[in-house]
Amino acid sequence: MVEHKRTGPLDLITWGISRIAMWLPAFIVAIIFFEVVMRYVFGRATMWVNETSLWVAGISYLFAGLYSMQQRSHIRIYILYDLCPRWLRRIFDFISTLCIVVFAVALIWGGYDEAVRKFMTWERFGTKFDPPIPATLKPLILITMALLALQAISNLIFDWNTDQGEKPLVEDLDELLAQVGADHLEARPAGEASDHPDTKQ
């Protein structure tokens, strides 16, 4: 995968967050490996690994969504999108960005009071280890959604007059059929290849 270049000032923040987040899965694997060794080799299971892995995985999941938005790697039906002229793609991009912004605003509006309450009371997970997962993840969800909405707007501004390099589906099919036909001719026995219309002089 070729990483999409930075196209706006917010991309620098997104890239910085992603460079930290990319190490989080490795951290999760490391502490789970530590738990396995402590539990089955030394017979001394930990109390903190399970909750910590859930905590860090939640953070990683949020940051991955933000990075996917910056990279334009979120789900999109390219079969239909690529068939459309540029002006119609702009309309689709605007509608999708508007939906993202509306969803983010609704989520922040509806979850703000709860997030503030969980953070101010430093709500914990309720286990023996009792980490402050609700107190940290709930506000982080809202912060990430705000950044995601701003990232979507930033992408729309940059992509408005930029051809993203999509190729019409018909051209792709023509290239595919041409390639398949060429491969088919190469695979035919020498005696049969001369009977093909493309091989006749």
Side-chain angles (χ1 to χ4, degrees):
M1 172 184 157
V2 178
E3 194 170 31
H4 200 286
K5 63 182 180 179
R6 293 195 297 267
T7 57
L10 190 64
D11 290 13
L12 188 60
I13 298 174
T14 302
W15 272 36
I17 293 173
S18 69
R19 293 310 184 265
I20 298 172
M22 66 185 292
W23 292 101
L24 296 182
F27 174 76
I28 295 172
V29 171
I31 63 174
I32 291 178
F33 177 76
F34 175 77
E35 165 67 18
V36 170
V37 172
M38 292 301 292
R39 179 185 294 268
Y40 295 106
V41 176
F42 298 102
R44 301 182 63 181
T46 66
M47 293 188 302
W48 57 271
V49 167
N50 183 51
E51 283 82 6
T52 303
S53 63
L54 292 174
W55 197 1
V56 175
I59 296 171
S60 177
Y61 180 80
L62 291 173
F63 291 165
L66 179 60
Y67 179 69
S68 296
M69 177 60 66
Q70 189 274 329
Q71 290 292 303
R72 286 80 162 169
S73 60
H74 48 287
I75 296 173
R76 177 159 46 181
I77 304 175
Y78 282 102
I79 293 176
L80 301 178
Y81 188 81
D82 289 354
L83 287 172
C84 299
R86 186 66 190 142
W87 65 267
L88 188 54
R89 292 182 193 175
R90 289 175 176 165
I91 294 176
F92 289 157
D93 291 343
F94 177 79
I95 293 173
S96 64
T97 302
L98 181 63
C99 291
I100 292 168
V101 171
V102 169
F103 175 76
V105 170
L107 187 64
I108 294 170
W109 181 271
Y112 178 79
D113 291 339
E114 183 184 3
V116 171
R117 187 182 70 252
K118 288 179 182 295
F119 181 77
M120 296 304 293
T121 59
W122 204 243
E123 184 176 330
R124 296 180 176 274
F125 198 51
T127 60
K128 192 169 184 180
F129 176 50
D130 208 21
I133 295 178
T136 53
L137 280 187
K138 185 65 176 184
L140 188 60
I141 290 172
L142 304 187
I143 293 170
T144 305
M145 284 305 302
L147 289 174
L148 190 139
L150 292 174
Q151 183 67 65
I153 295 172
S154 176
N155 290 353
L156 178 66
I157 293 171
F158 177 81
D159 295 342
W160 190 259
N161 292 314
T162 304
D163 185 3
Q164 295 301 305
E166 297 93 347
K167 299 173 66 177
L169 182 63
V170 175
E171 290 184 9
D172 290 344
L173 286 176
D174 288 344
E175 291 179 7
L176 177 62
L177 292 174
Q179 184 64 36
V180 170
D183 293 343
H184 178 68
L185 287 176
E186 293 176 2
R188 291 170 65 103
E192 297 180 12
S194 59
D195 297 333
H196 195 279
D198 292 341
T199 61
K200 292 180 180 181
Q201 300 296 331

